[in-house]
Amino acid sequence: MNAYYQKTLDFQEKLQQYAWNIFKSYGRELVMRLEEYNLLQNKHNCIESSTAIGFVLEEFLVSKLEMYTHCGDEEYIIDRFVGSTASESFDCYSIKNGMKLMVNVKAEKNGQANNALAAIGQLHRNYCLEEPNQEKSFVLFKVKYSIQDAYEDSEFRRAKPRCLYINELGSYCLEEVDFSKEHKQDNRSWSVATEGKNNKNNGRLQISSAFRESHKVPVDEISYQNTFKMLNDLVENNK
């Protein structure tokens, strides 16, 4: 087995274990409250159709992972990025055995797909330009949820609030994906560069499940150096 790939697989396994332990302590049901009011209680709320739930769920998990791993005797310690994560391609990270494991948490509503990773320019900066001699792995960690309607728990005879229900967790690392010959991206936040051309590297790299399946890097070639080169080439070709 590729030693590099085994490291990131081991981390992903532990990360899922930590996250499940956190969510299971809430019965996998999360209630969004503000001043004791359940923001999801009314089915016609404006939160459900917005991106707010994604941001809230991602913030919740990152904060809980940091507390969970710092308070216990866990193999991996999760630290969050100091500063605004909006300007970075990852939300938190762990450093172990000489590797920096960068985690991008993505909330995904049941029946929908969240294929965007991060702005290509941000990803390139974090992965290639910052600490270029530090071996890294970029992990996409997906939290799949649904909205569970309020109901009466017949066993305990109590009213259950309308809530977020955690259906599934999943992850993969960017290093598994071959985007050397082609890639997909959106045009989000394109801006005009000094030479008067659109900066395509402001767009977000998109990797769907289908793209991953059809663009696999052979296991023995999965490495930081390989993805480093692919990102460098992608940024250059986008200019």
Side-chain angles (χ1 to χ4, degrees):
M1 167 63 81
N2 179 328
Y4 170 90
Y5 189 39
Q6 189 60 58
K7 284 183 186 179
T8 185
L9 288 178
D10 289 344
F11 172 67
Q12 290 176 62
E13 182 181 354
K14 288 293 184 182
L15 190 63
Q16 288 199 37
Q17 179 185 318
Y18 300 160
W20 270 129
N21 288 344
I22 291 167
F23 288 131
K24 284 179 180 178
S25 69
Y26 296 91
R28 293 165 66 177
E29 298 174 347
L30 304 177
V31 179
M32 292 181 64
R33 290 193 177 100
L34 181 64
E35 291 286 358
E36 302 306 316
Y37 176 70
N38 181 2
L39 297 173
L40 298 178
Q41 193 64 28
N42 189 312
K43 289 186 179 182
H44 304 292
N45 69 81
C46 62
I47 304 292
E48 214 166 308
S49 60
S50 72
T51 57
I53 288 180
F55 285 117
V56 170
L57 192 50
E58 290 162 19
E59 174 62 27
F60 173 84
L61 182 57
V62 170
S63 297
K64 288 292 184 179
L65 282 170
E66 185 178 35
M67 289 187 283
Y68 182 90
T69 58
H70 277 265
C71 293
D73 187 24
E74 308 304 334
E75 183 178 349
Y76 294 91
I77 301 299
I78 307 297
D79 290 302
R80 65 187 305 145
F81 179 80
V82 178
S84 171
T85 56
S87 63
E88 308 302 318
S89 62
F90 63 103
D91 302 298
C92 56
Y93 67 95
S94 182
I95 298 178
K96 186 174 174 64
N97 297 326
M99 183 186 289
K100 184 174 183 178
L101 299 137
M102 306 154 70
V103 182
N104 185 321
V105 178
K106 291 290 183 185
E108 189 172 273
K109 190 173 182 180
N110 230 26
Q112 299 179 2
N114 187 352
N115 298 326
L117 274 72
I120 293 169
Q122 290 177 351
L123 182 58
H124 178 253
R125 172 167 52 81
N126 293 147
Y127 198 90
C128 302
L129 302 183
E130 297 172 351
E131 306 171 296
N133 296 322
Q134 167 73 66
E135 189 174 55
K136 305 181 186 78
S137 177
F138 192 89
V139 174
L140 273 294
F141 191 80
K142 291 199 174 187
V143 181
K144 300 184 180 182
Y145 71 94
S146 56
I147 306 296
Q148 192 171 76
D149 285 335
Y151 66 96
E152 183 177 321
D153 190 320
S154 57
E155 182 180 355
F156 298 101
R157 296 191 178 280
R158 62 177 180 178
K160 287 270 198 170
R162 201 160 185 268
C163 63
L164 297 177
Y165 183 77
I166 307 303
N167 296 91
E168 187 182 346
L169 301 177
S171 66
Y172 69 91
C173 64
L174 180 61
E175 293 77 20
E176 298 173 19
V177 184
D178 185 353
F179 52 93
S180 59
K181 296 180 178 64
E182 63 174 338
H183 76 283
K184 295 181 184 295
Q185 68 175 81
D186 64 17
N187 300 334
R188 189 176 186 181
S189 300
W190 277 25
S191 63
V192 178
T194 53
E195 66 272 21
K197 297 179 181 179
N198 284 327
N199 184 359
K200 293 176 68 175
N201 289 317
N202 286 343
R204 297 176 302 174
L205 186 63
Q206 302 268 338
I207 297 180
S208 65
S209 296
F211 189 91
R212 280 175 54 208
E213 283 299 313
S214 60
H215 294 74
K216 289 183 178 179
V217 174
V219 171
D220 60 346
E221 296 178 19
I222 294 174
S223 69
Y224 170 58
Q225 292 77 13
N226 186 47
T227 301
F228 185 104
K229 183 180 185 306
M230 284 194 285
L231 270 177
N232 263 338
D233 291 344
L234 172 56
V235 166
E236 285 301 312
N237 292 334
N238 259 351
K239 287 181 179 178

